[in-house]
Amino acid sequence: MPERDADKKAVMPEHARRVGGGTAESKGGAHQTGAACDEHVGDQGSLTMEEVVCRENMLIAYQRVVGNRGAPGVDGMTVDALMPMLRERWQDIRDELLGDRYVPAPVRKVEIPKPGGKGIRMLGIPTVLDRLIQQALLQVLQPCFDPTFSEHSFGFRPGRSAHQALEKAREHMAAGHRWVIDMDLEKFFDRVNHDVLMSRLARRIEDKRILRLIRRYLQAGMMEGGLVSPRTQGTPQGGPLSPLLSNVLLDELDKELERRGHRFVRYADDCNVYVRSRRAGERTLTSIERFLRERLRLQVNREKSAVDRPWKRKFLGYTFTIHHQPKLKVAPESVKRFKGCVREMLRRGRGRSLACLLAELRPVLIGWTSYYRKAQVRITFEQLDQWIRRKLRAILWRQWKRPWTRAKNLIRRGLAHDRAWISATNGRGPWWNAGASHMNQAVPTRYLCQLGLVSILDASRRLERSN
């Protein structure tokens, strides 16, 4: 047996009964939804703390937490230090969980700017140990709650994705529902009412130890600048359990929309309802706002919410064309944000070789293309490819600096002597020269691809063919 596996067995011995179904040997995403649950786990009230702390479930949780890496919490412990700590303390921690005595540590407050500079998003980073326990809870709770969620909910659910949500939205538009109620829940993760959420959880969980542990996580303080402030509402983003809790709460909204017969798509706290007219949309938005306020104690941000045409709004980074059979395309805001990211990376990389820059840029281009590959309007990809190539040529022009160096490099790259000197001494700026014919000839696309440049258009086509 490998040394690492032996360590895990020593840390988390088999105290609980073996879990039915053999989920410990399953692969991939099945771990999260199938681990540590008996065949009867979907039945109301069958969830127990013993299932949470059983060895198989904890091992899978450990693998996921270590695989996700993540930043340290308030105690400064990294994922690499988790196993040594568990060797010493796991038995005591397990006894505290089973005895309903475990108290989570405060979360570390982190603020990150929202896209487009539209405010600040607050994150709460739990300690590595608390992430492990939350992940173990998630693996037991998810199979119980997920089958009961609406088929119109796509966020943070096994086997569902943002791409599926976008396709469903497109289907609603194609069916004639060409007005959208774009709802924005005001500071949703900061405003979740603990009592309302716990009452929804208690409908399916009878083990009071699990309920009290979840409430302790909700009420765990937030540390900033060495001071811990208590929390009376909200479920800060940053922990593994937070997305499931948000789905549990908002499932009541889904059920209400289904009861009324609305066509809608929800991804986490982004909810779009599709109707046939503006008047119906305004009436529905007012009614939903009242339902959220009275039943779930949530507020709709009227400034960001609107009843409008779908092709004038952004949903999950995409928007739509105006056609009766609409097509997906990348939203202008998403293009602007992507350009800002690339621009910042290239600015930091001045003075370095193009090969080094492209090695750093490559995973960003691949990741962005992977998400936006569903866009059917491909001209955006072609324009971005042209813009990136021009940015790279502008960097080269700056690096060459003096007219003599520029002329020498242009000649070396195949330009005639006279043309090279005229181009090198034209007095124009780097951006103009990067788009001029002499730089396109001297630094062709083929050369940039050999250095490692990824074409967004070509990559999107390859991804579509592979799917």
Side-chain angles (χ1 to χ4, degrees):
M1 178 184 295
E3 182 179 348
R4 185 177 180 127
D5 291 342
D7 285 341
K8 293 175 184 175
K9 287 182 75 69
V11 171
M12 299 172 185
E14 182 59 285
H15 293 286
R17 54 185 167 75
R18 182 170 180 82
V19 175
T23 54
E25 286 76 26
S26 63
K27 303 292 183 183
H31 281 165
Q32 181 168 330
T33 58
C37 294
D38 289 322
E39 293 177 357
H40 65 279
V41 77
D43 299 335
Q44 182 173 357
S46 68
L47 304 178
T48 65
M49 185 62 77
E50 282 74 15
E51 289 176 307
V52 174
V53 301
C54 81
R55 175 178 171 274
E56 291 176 346
N57 191 48
M58 294 305 301
L59 285 177
I60 295 169
Y62 173 83
Q63 291 163 1
R64 286 194 172 268
V65 169
V66 171
N68 291 336
R69 306 301 294 177
V74 295
D75 59 358
M77 181 188 294
T78 65
V79 293
D80 295 326
L82 180 58
M83 179 57 73
M85 185 275 292
L86 290 175
R87 290 196 195 104
E88 297 180 6
R89 293 188 50 205
W90 170 243
Q91 186 60 53
D92 293 337
I93 295 168
R94 181 180 181 278
D95 291 343
E96 289 178 6
L97 289 168
L98 292 175
D100 200 14
R101 301 188 307 275
Y102 181 81
V103 179
V107 297
R108 181 169 62 88
K109 183 177 181 179
V110 176
E111 293 181 341
I112 60 174
K114 289 185 177 180
K118 300 177 181 177
I120 298 294
R121 174 174 288 117
M122 183 179 66
L123 304 180
I125 309 300
T127 63
V128 177
L129 175 60
D130 283 326
R131 292 209 295 271
L132 174 71
I133 298 171
Q134 286 193 35
Q135 180 65 37
L137 277 169
L138 175 67
Q139 291 166 181
V140 170
L141 297 178
Q142 186 106 49
C144 175
F145 283 93
D146 193 80
T148 69
F149 289 155
S150 167
E151 64 177 9
H152 305 287
S153 168
F154 294 88
F156 306 112
R157 296 183 59 190
R160 289 177 169 252
S161 67
H163 291 158
Q164 293 173 338
L166 290 161
E167 182 58 32
K168 181 61 69 173
R170 197 186 66 80
E171 290 176 9
H172 293 329
M173 290 178 60
H177 297 75
R178 295 170 61 80
W179 289 87
V180 63
I181 307 167
D182 186 0
M183 279 192 302
D184 181 87
L185 298 179
E186 188 172 3
K187 297 182 178 178
F188 168 71
F189 286 95
D190 301 335
R191 299 282 178 86
V192 170
N193 184 279
H194 292 172
D195 293 332
V196 174
L197 174 57
M198 293 307 302
S199 69
R200 272 53 178 181
L201 291 169
R203 294 173 183 175
R204 299 191 63 81
I205 304 173
E206 288 187 358
D207 192 325
K208 302 301 182 185
R209 296 170 296 178
I210 293 180
L211 292 172
R212 282 191 284 266
L213 179 59
I214 293 175
R215 184 176 279 276
R216 290 187 197 116
Y217 274 119
L218 292 173
Q219 295 177 340
M222 180 169 287
M223 180 175 287
E224 182 181 19
L227 299 177
V228 178
S229 57
R231 287 211 318 268
T232 58
Q233 63 178 2
T235 168
Q237 303 172 73
L241 203 53
S242 182
L244 175 65
L245 297 181
S246 67
N247 275 333
V248 169
L249 184 63
L250 291 177
D251 186 60
E252 191 156 340
L253 169 63
D254 298 341
K255 295 300 193 292
E256 177 66 16
L257 293 173
E258 287 177 347
R259 187 186 66 80
R260 299 182 185 186
H262 288 305
R263 293 181 178 237
F264 70 98
V265 177
R266 184 177 67 80
Y267 191 95
D269 59 331
D270 288 334
C271 185
N272 280 6
V273 183
Y274 295 87
V275 294
R276 291 185 180 273
S277 68
R278 177 183 287 276
R279 184 177 178 183
E282 296 287 0
R283 184 175 62 249
T284 301
L285 178 57
T286 301
S287 175
I288 295 174
E289 184 178 17
R290 184 171 58 251
F291 171 84
L292 288 168
R293 183 176 61 251
E294 295 176 357
R295 291 290 295 275
L296 302 182
R297 302 184 192 177
L298 296 172
Q299 296 292 327
V300 172
N301 189 332
R302 274 287 187 168
E303 292 183 2
K304 295 183 179 179
S305 302
V307 178
D308 206 344
R309 294 293 194 179
W311 50 88
K312 295 181 180 180
R313 306 294 294 183
K314 174 173 71 75
F315 183 50
L316 301 178
Y318 284 78
T319 187
F320 303 88
T321 64
I322 197 172
H323 305 98
H324 286 286
Q325 293 295 325
K327 296 180 179 180
L328 287 168
K329 66 177 185 178
V330 183
E333 298 94 325
S334 302
V335 174
K336 182 179 179 180
R337 188 162 63 249
F338 173 70
K339 282 186 171 182
C341 174
V342 172
R343 193 178 287 115
E344 179 60 29
M345 293 181 69
L346 296 180
R347 186 180 295 118
R348 291 198 310 265
R350 289 178 184 174
R352 297 162 58 190
S353 69
L354 281 190
C356 291
L357 277 178
L358 290 172
E360 184 179 339
L361 191 61
R362 182 182 179 86
V364 175
L365 297 179
I366 292 175
W368 193 88
T369 307
S370 178
Y371 181 73
Y372 287 103
R373 68 182 185 274
K374 293 295 182 181
Q376 297 160 295
V377 180
R378 299 296 177 90
I379 190 171
T380 302
F381 297 157
E382 188 173 351
Q383 291 170 344
L384 283 173
D385 279 337
Q386 293 171 354
W387 178 81
I388 292 171
R389 291 195 295 266
R390 189 169 179 178
K391 292 291 288 185
L392 294 171
R393 292 179 180 121
I395 289 174
L396 271 182
W397 190 260
R398 285 192 181 94
Q399 289 178 349
W400 292 343
K401 292 184 179 179
R402 296 180 177 84
W404 185 88
T405 307
R406 290 169 177 168
K408 181 182 70 173
N409 279 289
L410 291 174
I411 293 170
R412 185 166 57 85
R413 292 167 181 268
L415 266 69
H417 184 275
D418 291 345
R419 185 185 177 201
W421 274 103
I422 292 172
S423 301
T425 58
N426 61 30
R428 301 273 192 170
W431 184 248
W432 185 92
N433 279 283
S437 60
H438 55 269
M439 279 300 283
N440 279 268
Q441 180 180 339
V443 188
T445 302
R446 181 181 66 258
Y447 171 76
L448 295 174
C449 291
Q450 289 171 351
L451 290 179
L453 176 63
V454 174
S455 166
I456 296 175
L457 180 61
D458 292 344
S460 66
R461 287 171 174 166
R462 285 195 300 271
L463 286 168
E464 277 301 295
R465 286 196 297 267
S466 65
N467 289 339

